[in-house]
Amino acid sequence: MQIQAIQKEQCPAAKEVILAGFLERFGFIDHTLNPDIQDIWSEYMQGDHLFYVGMDGDRMICTGAIRRESQDTFQVVRMSVLKPYRKHGLGRRMLVHLEDKAISMGAQKLILETNKQWADAIQFYKKNGYSETHEDEVSCYFQKEFPL
């Protein structure tokens, strides 16, 4: 898999990768819940928000993004791997890429959230060094700190 910054013309395909994951997990898609993926280019490729895609040849197979939350904190968002490509370390490769990029931009802490019903996602983040900070009715929240 080759990881690259998203190109404008790839935005519709990235949206489809993300929506495929939602459809798989929820059985339906509520487009009002994810306004940031309606215009990925404007939402992520301006300033200190960045969106990446993982490519297998010319096929997009995963996505991941980071958002600057403060001077030293970034949020990991839009991690998604198409189902046939899971369990091959691709999600981990994307996550490490996002971490490295955030650190190069001054991150000392990464935060993220995931649905608390997604046991595999929760386990994935824990296995990759993220600590659960809290949860609410819907989500589990995690963080990972990076020393200077």
Side-chain angles (χ1 to χ4, degrees), residues 8-9 24-25 33 41 44 53-54 59-60 66 73-74 77-78 81 86 92 100 107 135 146-148:
K8 194 168 191 173
E9 64 274 7
E24 174 192 341
R25 295 206 184 254
L33 295 177
W41 189 259
Y44 289 97
V53 295
R59 182 164 190 206
M60 187 179 301
I66 53 174
T73 302
F74 283 75
V77 294
R78 298 303 175 205
V81 178
R86 292 188 196 141
R92 176 169 167 61
D100 289 346
E135 65 178 57
F146 298 91
L148 291 174

Side-chain angles (χ1 to χ4, degrees), residues 34 45-46 103-104 117 135:
N34 303 287
M45 298 309 284
Q46 315 297 323
I103 290 167
S104 77
Q117 302 301 316
E135 65 178 57

Side-chain angles (χ1 to χ4, degrees), residues 11-25:
C11 291
K15 179 180 174 182
E16 291 306 314
V17 169
I18 294 164
L19 291 177
F22 288 153
L23 184 59
E24 174 192 341
R25 295 206 184 254

Side-chain angles (χ1 to χ4, degrees), residues 3-4 6 13 15 41 46 66 75 80 95 114 133 135:
I3 298 173
Q4 62 190 44
I6 195 168
K15 179 180 174 182
W41 189 259
Q46 315 297 323
I66 53 174
Q75 182 180 24
S80 190
L95 185 59
T114 192
T133 59
E135 65 178 57

